[in-house]
Amino acid sequence: MKAVSVIIPAYNEEKTIGQVIDIVKQSNIDCEVIVVNNCCTDNTTQIATDKGARVVYSDKKGKGYAMEEGLKVAQNEIVVFLDADITDYNKNLIHLLVNPIIEHDIDFVKSTFERTKGGLVTEIATKPLLNILFPEMYQFSEPLSGMIASKKSILEKLEFEKDYGVDIGIILDIANLKLTTAEVNIGKIENMSHLLKTTQSMQNMSNQIMRAILKRAKYVK
């Protein structure tokens, strides 16, 4: 089995980052674990270091910035991105995400999952807009999922959005390049940080996601 670089962007995730790293390390795949400190003010870095992860820093706040910093230092061609605030990942998570790449030479893998709660931004804002603007390109049941796998040589060619638009931007760019894709079910997860977001923060998230979509439809710059 080929080695994999697992990149975990993190902003103040001291309560969950250790458990996420533990799940990655349970994999039977050789994993390089990279935690990107995205302007944290808590104990995320110390916990990640104690768990054996490599910590790198992004001095610009925003998920896309953190993903880029992690990608710069990744040593393996197969790259996995994970969210840092989910503690009930499937123990076979890494295998599920990278298997289509290793076994079938798929270019990009997106996760789907069952939710306990949430998903309002996906169902009310994101999917309707995608179905209108990109009906022939849109295919993923969880377009905003941050759990993905791809090849470093492909990801390095993409222009990452710097905010919450980064995930939807990636899949639309992948589709536009006509690369091979797969979607894998990673089970049931609960993203507590999203459930605790305020109405204002959810609106900001929706705005950033819709801007990324409209940008690729040539409606905004």
Side-chain angles (χ1 to χ4, degrees), residues 112-177:
T112 186
F113 43 82
E114 296 93 52
R115 298 176 182 273
T116 53
K117 294 180 182 179
L120 289 178
V121 174
T122 297
E123 300 300 330
I124 295 176
T126 308
K127 285 186 177 181
L129 191 57
L130 287 172
N131 285 326
I132 292 170
L133 296 177
F134 297 102
E136 76 288 353
M137 296 170 66
Y138 175 64
Q139 60 176 299
F140 298 104
S141 60
E142 290 292 342
L144 304 184
S145 165
M147 291 73 75
I148 63 173
S150 189
K151 302 171 183 178
K152 183 176 181 181
S153 55
I154 290 173
L155 294 169
E156 287 176 328
K157 296 175 183 178
L158 306 182
E159 180 184 354
F160 286 12
E161 298 295 323
K162 308 311 180 195
D163 50 29
Y164 282 114
V166 63
D167 295 312
I168 193 64
I170 287 173
I171 67 169
L172 288 175
D173 291 345
I174 290 287
N176 186 55
L177 291 171

Side-chain angles (χ1 to χ4, degrees), residues 1-9 20-36 48 51-56 69-82 94 98 148 150 152 156:
M1 186 66 76
K2 297 181 180 179
V4 174
S5 293
V6 179
I7 302 171
I8 311 170
V20 175
I21 294 170
D22 285 342
I23 291 169
V24 174
K25 287 183 171 291
Q26 289 174 13
S27 172
N28 61 357
I29 298 173
D30 180 15
C31 291
E32 171 195 28
V33 185
I34 302 167
V35 172
V36 185
K51 288 289 184 178
R54 177 183 180 184
V55 177
V56 297
E69 290 302 320
L71 191 61
K72 288 177 184 177
V73 301
Q75 297 181 359
N76 300 301
E77 171 63 1
I78 299 177
V79 174
V80 170
F81 283 102
L82 297 182
I94 304 303
V98 304
I148 63 173
S150 189
K152 183 176 181 181
E156 287 176 328

